[in-house]
Amino acid sequence: MIRLTVKRVFSFLIFLLVLYAGIGSQEVGGGFSDAPEVPGSEADVPAPQPLPRSFGSMVLGISLEQAKEDLQTDSLFSYRGDPDISFSPVDSQPIIRADGLAYLDAGIFQFHEDALYSITLQIDPEQLDYFTMYSTLTAKYGDPDYLDPQQSYWERNGVRMILEKPVTVKYLDMDAFTAIREAGAAQESVSDLSREIFLDNF
């Protein structure tokens, strides 16, 4: 009788051990299908925001005259008017360079066929470093489409935003930029052809 009782107690202890091991494996392995999602999972990551086409009052595509008017009242830049306007030595297109205020050292605005296609912002590296800018842009716009030790860029919907070291941010209208680049390549081809024709005279 005593042997039978001991046997039952021993069997009951084994059953408890097996039951406990089963519950522990479910908790560790996540075996419950109705377990709540852990906060901070991928489902909670917000979708990247659209890339902006503007900074302050400067909007890609505006005319030179509109840019001059808007810069007069833009609190991010110190614009002096026509003395801040020069022309590209390559294609004689206007360029505005305005001193920046607060975190900005300067803003450079390039035009092609009377439309703003490039905004370059030179940021004071003593106030904002490259890593801070990269972290901010990545949080808003997702991982960059291109990354190397010197620069990264994001591109979508006809806009490319470039972050360069030490701390420079550029906005490019890619339709205009592609047209300018193709025109430049065509000019180089004509130049090469003219040189070959000239050399044929010897």
Side-chain angles (χ1 to χ4, degrees):
M1 187 74 177
I2 295 175
R3 289 182 180 179
L4 182 61
T5 303
V6 171
K7 186 176 181 180
R8 285 183 177 177
V9 171
F10 185 74
S11 299
F12 181 70
L13 289 175
I14 291 178
F15 170 77
L16 288 177
L17 287 173
V18 171
L19 180 62
Y20 179 79
I23 294 174
S25 65
Q26 284 184 331
E27 290 177 346
V28 173
F32 298 105
S33 60
D34 58 346
E37 289 188 9
V38 177
S41 64
E42 291 185 4
D44 297 329
V45 177
Q49 298 181 26
L51 292 177
R53 295 185 58 87
S54 64
F55 182 83
S57 62
M58 295 293 96
V59 183
L60 293 174
I62 64 174
S63 67
L64 175 63
E65 288 302 317
Q66 185 65 55
K68 290 165 62 175
E69 290 181 15
D70 292 343
L71 280 172
Q72 295 282 1
T73 57
D74 196 317
S75 61
L76 296 170
F77 301 99
S78 175
Y79 175 62
R80 300 176 301 164
D82 288 344
D84 285 339
I85 300 177
S86 59
F87 293 89
S88 168
V90 177
D91 54 12
S92 299
Q93 296 290 338
I95 299 172
I96 299 177
R97 187 191 188 284
D99 290 337
L101 301 174
Y103 297 97
L104 289 171
D105 280 339
I108 301 170
F109 311 97
Q110 295 176 265
F111 297 80
H112 179 71
E113 297 181 350
D114 198 37
L116 178 63
Y117 80 92
S118 174
I119 300 172
T120 300
L121 306 172
Q122 296 175 342
I123 299 170
D124 183 354
E126 294 184 359
Q127 298 196 62
L128 281 176
D129 59 78
Y130 180 89
F131 179 75
T132 299
M133 286 300 305
Y134 179 83
S135 299
T136 300
L137 297 179
T138 301
K140 292 183 70 174
Y141 308 118
D143 292 332
D145 296 290
Y146 175 82
L147 175 66
D148 69 29
Q150 295 302 315
Q151 70 168 355
S152 54
Y153 71 71
W154 295 255
E155 185 174 336
R156 62 183 74 105
N157 299 326
V159 177
R160 178 181 292 183
M161 175 182 282
I162 307 167
L163 175 63
E164 297 178 344
K165 289 185 176 179
V167 199
T168 299
V169 178
K170 295 181 179 179
Y171 302 74
L172 282 178
D173 182 320
M174 289 307 294
D175 291 338
F177 180 71
T178 300
I180 294 168
R181 186 170 54 187
E182 291 176 351
Q187 290 175 359
E188 290 177 4
S189 299
V190 171
S191 176
D192 291 341
L193 180 59
S194 299
R195 182 174 56 187
E196 290 178 7
I197 292 173
F198 173 74
L199 292 173
D200 283 343
N201 289 300
F202 295 93

